Amino acid sequence: MTVQGARPRLPFFPPDLFEADREHLLRIVRDTGTGPAQKFILGEHTAGFEQALREQLGAADVVACGSGTSALTLVLAAMDVGAGDEVVVPAFGCAPLAGSVVALGATPVFADIDPWTMVVDPDDMERRITPRTKALMPAHMFSVMADMPRLTALARDRGLRLVEDSAVAQGGVQGGVPAGLAGEAGVYSFVQVKTFGTAGEGGAVVTRDAELGRTVRMLRNHGQDGVHRFVHHRIGWNSRFDEVLAAFQLHRLPGLADRLERRAMIAGHYTERFADLAERGVLAPPPGRDGRCSYVYTLQCDRRDALKAHLAERGVDSHVYYPLPLPRQPAFSGFAAPGDTWPAAERAGQRILSLPVYPHLSDAQVEYIADTVREFALAP
Ligand SMILES: *Cc1c(COP(=O)(O)O)cnc(C)c1O
C-alpha cells in the first residue's frame, strides 16, 4: 500500500484494518475460550461495552445485539409495528431499511431523497404520511446525517414513532445531539465498513427511553427478562452479542474519536480538492462538520463508470453503494404503487461512487486518490 513505486494498490477494504490491535484480539480469543465461566455471549464484556457506550452517549440504555439490521427489527418490534402499519423509509439506502419493516408484516412506504445530500427529503416524507403510518425511519447516508431536528418535529406533530437509522453514523453529532439519540431510538452497526466496524458482526440499539430499552433487551434473547431463565414474556429473536467482540470493541472504543477525526480530515480534504469540479461533472458532498460522519466518502459523477475504471487502472478501489433505489429492487417493487417515481434516488444510483476514507490512509495516499479524481475530471 505505498504510493512510491510503479503502481500503488489502495483497496477499499484494507487488510490491515485491525493490525494495531492484533495481539489484543488474539489474547481475548484465548482468554474467552479458556475462561472458567465459558461465557461466549451476553457476559460481562457485553455488559461492560453497553455501559461504556451508555455513559459516553448519555443514553438511558444501550442494548448490544447481533447486527444493525437486527437492531432495526428489535426497535420496530418494541414499538409494536406490525400488520396494517406503514413505515416511511428513504427510497435510497440499504435493504434492511425496507426489509426490517416487511419482516414484521408492515408496509414500507418510500420517500425520495435530497439530490445533493442524498438523505431523505423531509417534505417528501411528510407527503407520504397516511392514516396507517405508524413510524418514520430516516437514515443517515454516506457522510451526511438526515435532518433530525425537522424529522423530530414532524413525528411529534403527526403523533408518529421515530426510528433513527444511524447504523453508519456512530460518533456523528448534529446540533449537539449524538447520532442515534435524536429520535426515540437509534441503531449502530459494527460491521467492518461502518465507523466503529469490527472483526465480525454486531449492532446496538441506543435509546433515551428506558422502557423501550427493556423491551428490546427482552426481544434480543427470545423474550426472556434476564432474571428468569426459560420464561418467555414475548416472542423474540436470537440477536445476542458475542463476548470476544464485546471485549475487542471495549478495547477499541477509546481510539474511536481519533479515528473519526482522521476520517473527517480526509473527507474534508477531498471535498476541498474537488470543490471546483462541479461544472466538470464531479460533485463532492456538502462541506462542514456538524451533522457529518464519514463512514464512506461518496461523490457523484456524470460519468461514474468511467471514473471507476480510471481509478481502478491507477490502483484505487472504489465502490457503488447503492446502484438501485429500494422500490426498484425485485424484493420491494411490490410495495411501490404503479407509476410512482423517486427521481433523485434514481439519479443518485447512477452517479454515486465511494472512495477509500479509512483512517490509516497516509497523507500521500489521500493526495494520490484526490489527484487521480482531478486528473479524470480535468481531462480534455
Ligand atoms: C449497514 C446498515 C444497516 C445494517 O447493519 P448490519 O450490521 O449490516 O446489519 C442498516 N442501515 C444502514 C443505513 C446501514 O448502512
Side-chain angles (χ1 to χ4, degrees):
M1 261 195 20
T2 55
V3 170
Q4 285 79 31
R7 195 166 177 279
R9 173 87 186 85
L10 292 165
F12 199 81
F13 298 106
D16 55 353
L17 189 59
F18 304 115
E19 190 57 34
D21 298 313
R22 179 222 293 242
E23 287 308 319
H24 197 87
L25 178 56
L26 293 176
R27 193 160 58 243
I28 295 167
V29 170
R30 179 186 295 118
D31 289 352
T32 308
T34 59
Q38 287 296 286
K39 191 90 178 154
F40 296 100
I41 49 150
L42 300 186
E44 61 180 22
H45 296 305
T46 300
F49 178 49
E50 291 176 337
Q51 185 183 339
L53 285 180
R54 193 164 60 232
E55 284 168 7
Q56 184 192 62
L57 294 163
D61 206 356
V62 172
V63 185
C65 63
S67 68
T69 303
S70 182
L72 290 178
T73 307
L74 296 173
V75 170
L76 291 169
M79 293 177 172
D80 292 318
V81 168
D85 294 328
E86 293 176 354
V87 179
V88 189
V89 304
F92 192 61
C94 64
L97 277 166
S100 59
V101 175
V102 175
L104 291 167
T107 302
V109 172
F110 298 101
D112 206 1
I113 56 171
D114 177 276
W116 187 17
T117 63
M118 295 186 279
V119 293
V120 73
D121 171 5
D123 290 327
D124 202 43
M125 229 180 199
E126 181 166 20
R127 271 193 292 278
R128 291 178 184 269
I129 293 171
T130 75
R132 286 170 172 272
T133 306
K134 177 118 174 191
L136 306 178
M137 188 157 73
H140 308 317
M141 288 291 289
F142 311 129
S143 57
V144 182
M145 291 171 67
D147 186 348
M148 294 312 294
R150 270 202 63 194
L151 293 163
T152 308
L154 178 61
R156 190 186 52 230
D157 293 349
R158 304 296 288 265
L160 302 171
R161 312 301 299 256
L162 179 61
V163 182
E164 180 181 0
D165 184 347
S166 43
V168 304
Q170 184 174 0
V173 175
Q174 186 180 44
V177 180
L181 287 185
E184 293 174 75
V187 306
Y188 296 149
S189 164
F190 306 130
V191 85
Q192 177 189 21
V193 71
K194 309 296 164 80
T195 55
F196 195 33
T198 192
E201 292 270 22
V205 172
V206 303
T207 181
R208 292 187 189 283
D209 178 343
E211 188 56 41
L212 189 76
R214 254 192 302 281
T215 307
V216 166
R217 207 168 272 285
M218 261 197 252
L219 292 173
R220 85 169 159 185
N221 194 8
H222 300 298
Q224 298 169 97
D225 57 22
V227 181
H228 308 97
R229 208 150 170 237
F230 301 125
V231 177
H232 305 274
H233 302 275
R234 292 188 50 157
I235 299 167
W237 285 264
N238 170 7
S239 182
R240 302 177 296 230
F241 199 66
D242 183 296
E243 279 289 280
V244 169
L245 292 179
F248 190 50
Q249 290 299 75
L250 253 179
H251 169 72
R252 297 179 73 244
L253 188 59
L256 177 60
D258 283 349
R259 292 193 299 273
L260 288 175
E261 178 58 26
R262 174 73 186 154
R263 282 172 179 270
M265 281 178 57
I266 295 170
H269 187 69
Y270 285 150
T271 294
E272 248 175 67
R273 300 258 356 246
F274 303 156
D276 60 338
L277 300 182
E279 66 255 38
R280 311 282 309 195
V282 171
L283 180 64
R289 292 296 278 271
D290 189 60
R292 300 283 187 276
C293 191
S294 294
Y295 109 95
V296 291
Y297 182 88
T298 304
L299 49 72
Q300 300 188 50
C301 179
D302 296 339
R303 294 180 295 137
R304 188 265 313 281
D305 294 342
L307 173 58
K308 188 169 177 32
H310 175 91
L311 288 164
E313 277 161 24
R314 286 153 188 80
V316 180
D317 275 3
S318 58
H319 221 77
V320 176
Y321 306 91
Y322 300 88
L324 275 183
L326 291 171
R328 297 278 176 249
Q329 293 285 353
F332 305 121
S333 57
F335 297 99
D340 206 347
T341 58
W342 297 266
E346 306 268 1
R347 199 168 131 78
Q350 293 155 10
R351 288 164 47 84
I352 37 160
L353 191 66
S354 297
L355 304 178
V357 72
Y358 41 88
H360 59 296
L361 279 171
S362 70
D363 289 350
Q365 289 169 333
V366 170
E367 220 59 84
Y368 176 79
I369 294 169
D371 286 342
T372 308
V373 171
R374 288 189 63 80
E375 178 188 48
F376 173 85
L378 297 173

